[in-house]
Amino acid sequence: RPLAARETSEPDVAHGQQQADFRRMVATLAERLEDEPEDLEGWTMLARSYRVLGEWGPAASAWSRVVELKGDDATAMDWAELSDLRIAASRGLVDPRALEAARRSLALDPTVAKSRHFVALALAQSGQYREAIRRWQELLADAPPNASWREPVARQMAEAEDLLAEREGRPPRALAPQSA
């Protein structure tokens, strides 16, 4: 084959092989954990591996086991991670179990931005736009200026503002008269 053709196909083949190898390693780890269900480090590695693969349901299940094994030593960030994975597994929906994990995170540390966002998102998803907007405003006010999540949170808040305006019969922000 010409060199140009090899250069474009060989990296794809190598990447595919690496991913297949990684998947086999993850499957082997999952099998081992069936026999070693108390292996906290193993469950942590499994959850993170599933996250890398974008397999959100298995990642959430594995991280749930991590939190269970940690018991009272589970941190606010552990609970926030569980909430995050459950939301990813439900394609963005903050279901009751994800909301409960976010609330447990906030009970341990009320400053965890990720959990604060998830609670606001749950409120917006249940139609409680005004309260969701208030919480997002507080979150953004507390956020460092360079926080990578500022813009996505601001976009979600703007969507909630537009939905609230629509519900109240007002034009959305983009169509509302601008003050000088």
Side-chain angles (χ1 to χ4, degrees):
R1 286 188 324 197
L3 179 60
R6 287 195 313 258
E7 287 176 346
T8 59
S9 66
E10 288 172 3
D12 292 340
V13 170
H15 177 71
Q17 184 61 47
Q18 287 173 342
Q19 189 154 21
D21 290 346
F22 185 66
R23 285 185 180 280
R24 276 192 293 279
M25 289 184 342
V26 171
T28 299
L29 176 59
E31 287 175 21
R32 183 176 64 78
L33 289 172
E34 288 176 16
D35 296 329
E36 300 174 30
E38 304 301 311
D39 181 358
L40 176 61
E41 188 176 322
W43 284 104
T44 302
M45 188 180 309
L46 183 63
R48 290 178 178 156
S49 298
Y50 281 136
R51 180 185 259 287
V52 167
L53 293 170
E55 295 182 15
W56 307 114
S61 294
W63 197 259
S64 179
R65 182 68 181 142
V66 168
V67 170
E68 182 181 322
L69 287 170
K70 285 187 173 186
D72 290 340
D73 293 331
T75 67
M77 292 309 295
D78 291 330
W79 286 104
E81 177 70 4
L82 180 58
S83 183
D84 192 10
L85 291 170
R86 285 182 170 159
I87 292 166
S90 65
R91 297 188 173 139
L93 178 67
V94 185
D95 67 20
R97 293 183 334 148
L99 180 58
E100 176 60 23
R103 287 185 172 147
R104 299 225 19 206
S105 168
L106 293 173
L108 294 169
D109 181 353
T111 67
V112 175
K114 183 188 285 194
S115 298
R116 292 172 67 190
H117 167 63
F118 294 152
V119 169
L121 183 59
L123 289 164
Q125 288 176 353
S126 68
Q128 298 175 61
Y129 303 123
R130 195 171 304 284
E131 180 63 14
I133 292 164
R134 184 187 70 74
R135 288 180 184 235
W136 276 321
Q137 287 170 335
E138 289 175 354
L139 176 59
L140 290 170
D142 295 342
N146 61 345
S148 62
W149 48 264
R150 284 183 72 86
E151 189 176 319
V153 167
R155 272 196 312 271
Q156 286 188 307
M157 185 175 72
E159 289 174 24
E161 289 169 339
D162 286 346
L163 290 168
L164 180 61
E166 181 181 315
R167 178 190 288 164
E168 293 176 349
R170 296 182 285 114
R173 288 170 309 97
L175 301 176
Q178 304 297 316
S179 57

